[in-house]
Amino acid sequence: MSSRSVLPKSTQDAMLEKFAPVVYLNSAETSLPSSAEWYLQRTKLVDASGNVISNPASANISALGLAQSDYRLEMIDQTSRSGQGVDAPVYGFVRSLGDPVTAIDLTYWFFYPFKRECVR
Amino acid sequence: MLILGSGLAVALLVTINPFTFLAGSVVAGAAIVATISAAIDAVRKAEGFFIHQGDWEHVTVRLSADRNSILGIYYAAHEKGRWYMQLTDGSRNGYKLDGDGRPIVYSALQSHAAYPYTGTTTRHGGFGNDKTDKGTAWNTAGAIVNITPGAFDSDWLKYPGLWGRKQSKKIDLAELFGESVREYGNGPIGPAMKDCWVKGEPDQPPLPQPQAPVRIDVIEKCDGPIAVAEYRGFLWVAYMNQTPMPSNPNSCTIGFATFNGKNWEDQKLIPIVNASMDQIAMASFNDELHLVCQSRNTLKWYSLALDGANRLGQWVDRTNSGGFIAGNSNPGMATTADKLGLAYRTSDHRLHFSEFDGSRWTTGPDIVDDFTGPTSALGVFNGLFCYGAMVSVQLQTRKVEARLALCYIDTQTSNLSMSNAITMLKAGRFINDQNVFAFTELDGALHIVFSSASGVVDMSLNWARLMERGTELPIDDETGYVIQPPINVGGLGLGTMAVHNTLWAVLSKPPTAAVNGSVWMVPMPCH
């Protein structure tokens, strides 16, 4: 990413804050959002053979030199499915488009520990 | 993200009942249907099905370069998402903001797919619907963590693995219905590992769509098909009226109205004895307006030559002159630089094409075609006559859908088929006699206006264009616009014509108990 497309962090933060969304969960929702850290504290890092490598919350998981999909996180206790709650953070990403800039994308990432596609 | 397709049904069939392996015969068809139903019911009774640990969802707000206005909002839902526009018509196509200008996101029950509206979004034919409502608010203001590269250096963002357990290698129904294992999908990869992190969202938000200033102009007693033509700077609309003339109970009338780009002017009626409420066609050629309509089982040809600025000339019946070959039905007319073209069908349903050079009609050989749709139209693209038909296509899933096929009429080979089509557009459900379309050339592009119907909503009006004179580019279905605000077509006829460089779609709506038949004028968004 070239320097021209990087806005100062303070500008990014202000933009992300200004357009921070209001997310309405379904009134019957049982799988609430969480922070990434909350989830990492409740999972174990498992390799392709099923060996538990470490507790990801305490390990430097990016430094393991893992190839994509070689490793996975597994929930230690299924009660973590219910998530943290609506005090969870949202992760924002700012990207400038075009040169010269024609538009700016603000992407908001939401994390939920558990997902189910309803069949009822 | 787990994608559910028809493969699921197959997997269920194979696993749930070994007898279905043998059930290939027609006789066993009912058994297969019953088996599928039983399998779906069983899945519905299960606690859940497409489930996985870890769930990254997102929305993207696209701002103008000056950061002041929102160009569109992308709401991700399952394996894909879509852009929503600024609309205030209450439709599902608009994004939603709260009073502070913050995007409103509805997170679907359990799947957490993002939508700008509440209600049910049908997926997989009802098998995995998303449901949103205004439950607990997750107000993210003050809770944003900026993870833009350079602004954040957390370890987990660089983690390349899965955020949940891996998918079971085979789908085993015993395992599915057992209590032990319920997670089937792979956990997702993290945001920075996804394609969209690097490439951005797929596609672009659609261009700001015009909030079409739809004109609803009531034309008395317009209750049938219409045809449109541009003649002497006016948009002419010919419309059928079923009410017989007092003097002749066997007559229908065709009415004419002219539109100057702003207002309607003269309206006239001509009685046509024994006219049928069938397709009519109209085109201008050699400074005359030509009309072909069906009367009983033959086509009649009329022309109108105006005298100077006077728009009140007399229609002349020319059916018995110029070597006009009276076909039976489905006329379509269009004009090239030096020819008036007429496509029509005969009583054996064969398609024919005749050209008029100003003095004589010439009819080519029978055209072999495989278009069986109820409506047809003739247009001109790249100087060549182009025939269009709405056809029903049976998909492999046995579903029948409508396709709008357009192809050049090649009088040398006399062969028209869907495989020769210069474009095929999906038009949703096929509804006999109600899929309408029209096309016209403007500024080197072929503009196509057509109706399409989804499974749940009424027919809506769409616009697409075939670009680039001289080369035929297939139109991607996605390039078709649903005209905003949505207009329920459900009408009797559609025509398009450019007048004073604005392309209009003209739509006739049938009369109801409360409302007279009306003509809708919808400016297309190409100018």
Side-chain angles (χ1 to χ4, degrees):
Chain A
M1 192 174 288
S2 64
S3 58
R4 54 98 191 152
S5 62
V6 177
L7 296 162
K9 182 173 184 301
S10 58
T11 307
Q12 292 177 3
D13 288 345
M15 293 168 70
L16 288 170
E17 194 60 37
K18 182 177 177 184
F19 294 98
V22 180
V23 181
Y24 287 99
L25 304 176
N26 187 286
S27 49
E29 186 61 74
T30 55
S31 299
L32 303 179
S34 81
S35 69
E37 290 82 1
W38 186 95
Y39 183 69
L40 292 173
Q41 285 163 9
R42 289 159 179 78
T43 50
K44 55 193 176 184
L45 184 63
V46 178
D47 73 8
S49 309
N51 304 312
V52 177
I53 302 302
S54 66
N55 177 349
S58 60
N60 185 357
I61 56 175
S62 68
L64 295 174
L66 312 176
Q68 182 175 312
S69 298
D70 272 4
Y71 286 73
R72 57 192 188 256
L73 297 168
E74 292 193 357
M75 236 179 236
I76 295 167
D77 180 343
Q78 299 305 310
T79 61
S80 303
R81 289 175 172 186
S82 57
Q84 179 182 8
V86 293
D87 51 348
V90 165
Y91 301 100
F93 176 36
V94 182
R95 172 207 303 277
S96 299
L97 306 176
D99 184 11
V101 173
T102 54
I104 298 167
D105 275 359
L106 309 178
T107 298
Y108 295 91
W109 287 95
F110 314 106
F111 184 75
Y112 303 79
F114 193 64
K115 170 184 185 124
R116 172 185 296 141
E117 295 193 31
C118 293
V119 293
R120 285 174 292 187
Chain B
M1 307 274 178
L2 189 70
I3 301 171
L4 165 62
S6 54
L8 166 70
V10 173
L12 288 172
L13 264 181
V14 168
T15 319
I16 200 166
N17 185 349
F19 290 109
T20 52
F21 275 120
L22 310 172
S25 70
V26 175
V27 179
I32 293 177
V33 171
T35 307
I36 293 173
S37 303
I40 291 173
D41 284 348
V43 169
R44 287 199 166 123
K45 283 174 191 156
E47 185 194 329
F49 188 39
F50 300 100
I51 56 187
H52 55 79
Q53 294 176 348
D55 180 18
W56 283 102
E57 303 286 342
H58 74 278
V59 300
T60 294
V61 180
R62 180 158 294 176
L63 300 179
S64 57
D66 64 9
R67 304 170 207 162
N68 287 328
S69 52
I70 297 176
L71 302 177
I73 301 181
Y74 187 88
Y75 290 73
H78 304 280
E79 58 277 6
K80 58 187 285 193
R82 56 165 286 203
W83 288 100
Y84 292 84
M85 304 309 301
Q86 180 182 13
L87 290 175
T88 54
D89 59 7
S91 77
R92 287 186 161 187
N93 298 311
Y95 59 70
K96 301 286 191 307
L97 303 178
D98 75 357
D100 296 329
R102 298 181 184 282
I104 290 175
V105 178
Y106 293 99
S107 170
L109 178 63
Q110 311 275 29
S111 83
H112 308 131
Y115 297 97
Y117 53 82
T118 57
T120 299
T121 302
T122 306
R123 302 182 62 244
H124 310 309
F127 196 62
N129 292 348
D130 277 331
K131 291 172 185 169
T132 53
D133 68 18
K134 205 166 181 174
T136 306
W138 180 14
N139 200 331
T140 69
I144 306 292
V145 176
N146 185 351
I147 57 170
T148 307
F152 182 75
D153 196 23
S154 173
D155 200 35
W156 62 256
L157 194 58
K158 299 173 193 161
Y159 165 60
L162 304 180
W163 281 74
R165 58 160 287 179
K166 211 167 166 64
Q167 183 176 9
S168 303
K169 286 212 171 111
K170 62 170 189 173
I171 292 179
D172 181 331
L173 285 183
E175 193 180 337
L176 168 65
F177 295 123
E179 289 298 316
S180 56
V181 179
R182 290 196 183 278
E183 289 105 16
Y184 278 85
N186 275 341
I189 49 178
M193 303 298 139
K194 292 182 192 288
D195 281 352
C196 63
W197 184 266
V198 178
K199 295 180 189 165
E201 304 298 358
D203 312 321
Q204 297 291 320
L207 296 170
Q209 295 205 7
Q211 297 292 297
V214 177
R215 296 175 59 107
I216 304 171
D217 295 302
V218 176
I219 292 181
E220 286 295 326
K221 295 176 181 173
C222 164
D223 53 9
I226 58 170
V228 297
E230 189 273 335
Y231 179 46
R232 291 197 177 183
F234 285 79
L235 176 75
W236 286 67
V237 178
Y239 56 93
M240 293 297 294
N241 174 10
Q242 298 183 64
T243 312
M245 301 292 281
S247 57
N248 189 334
N250 293 322
S251 66
C252 279
T253 51
I254 291 180
F256 297 90
T258 56
F259 182 70
N260 64 10
K262 289 178 182 169
N263 304 307
W264 291 95
E265 302 200 1
D266 317 311
Q267 295 190 24
K268 287 193 71 177
L269 293 174
I270 59 168
I272 296 180
V273 176
N274 293 326
S276 312
M277 291 300 291
D278 193 15
Q279 202 173 329
I280 47 180
M282 190 162 63
S284 61
F285 176 65
N286 274 1
D287 200 32
E288 289 178 328
L289 194 56
H290 296 264
L291 175 115
V292 172
C293 65
Q294 183 179 344
S295 173
R296 292 245 166 139
N297 289 319
T298 59
L299 295 180
K300 301 188 82 165
W301 168 39
Y302 294 83
S303 71
L304 173 71
L306 294 181
D307 178 15
N310 179 10
R311 287 194 299 280
L312 298 173
Q314 290 297 314
W315 285 92
V316 179
D317 184 345
R318 294 170 70 174
T319 308
N320 297 318
S321 65
F324 179 76
I325 298 173
N328 295 92
S329 63
N330 298 86
M333 279 209 290
T335 311
T336 60
D338 57 358
K339 292 276 170 48
L340 174 66
L342 170 67
Y344 57 93
R345 288 190 185 273
T346 44
S347 56
D348 54 5
H349 300 294
R350 279 181 171 272
L351 182 67
H352 296 260
F353 179 72
S354 296
E355 288 178 331
F356 181 62
D357 62 7
S359 59
R360 297 291 300 175
W361 287 93
T362 311
T363 300
D366 284 14
I367 294 175
V368 181
D369 74 304
D370 56 6
F371 301 122
T372 55
T375 56
S376 59
L378 192 67
V380 171
F381 187 40
N382 294 327
L384 301 169
F385 286 109
C386 179
Y387 181 80
M390 192 72 88
V391 296
S392 65
V393 174
Q394 183 155 358
L395 308 179
Q396 284 185 335
T397 56
R398 293 177 156 269
K399 213 166 109 185
V400 173
E401 282 196 349
R403 294 280 190 282
L404 172 56
L406 296 179
C407 47
Y408 293 126
I409 287 193
D410 183 342
T411 50
Q412 300 301 311
T413 63
S414 299
N415 185 12
L416 288 181
S417 70
M418 279 185 272
S419 58
N420 293 338
I422 55 175
T423 191
M424 293 274 278
L425 290 170
K426 285 185 192 172
R429 273 183 303 154
F430 186 81
I431 305 172
N432 203 27
D433 290 334
Q434 287 191 43
N435 296 84
V436 291
F437 66 94
F439 49 99
T440 197
E441 190 175 31
L442 179 64
D443 294 341
L446 191 65
H447 297 263
I448 306 158
V449 181
F450 61 105
S451 64
S452 82
S454 72
V456 287
V457 296
D458 291 328
M459 303 192 82
S460 60
L461 194 62
N462 298 263
W463 166 69
R465 63 183 157 186
L466 192 59
M467 298 290 289
E468 296 200 17
R469 179 182 291 277
T471 57
E472 294 96 39
L473 293 181
I475 298 178
D476 183 338
D477 295 321
E478 304 296 329
T479 60
Y481 280 167
V482 177
I483 300 301
Q484 297 297 344
I487 295 163
N488 179 358
V489 180
L492 295 163
L494 180 69
T496 59
M497 195 53 61
V499 178
H500 304 306
N501 224 30
T502 295
L503 184 70
W504 295 88
V506 185
L507 179 66
S508 74
K509 304 275 276 185
T512 64
V515 196
N516 284 327
S518 55
V519 169
W520 293 41
M521 301 291 290
V522 186
M524 292 294 111
C526 50
H527 285 281

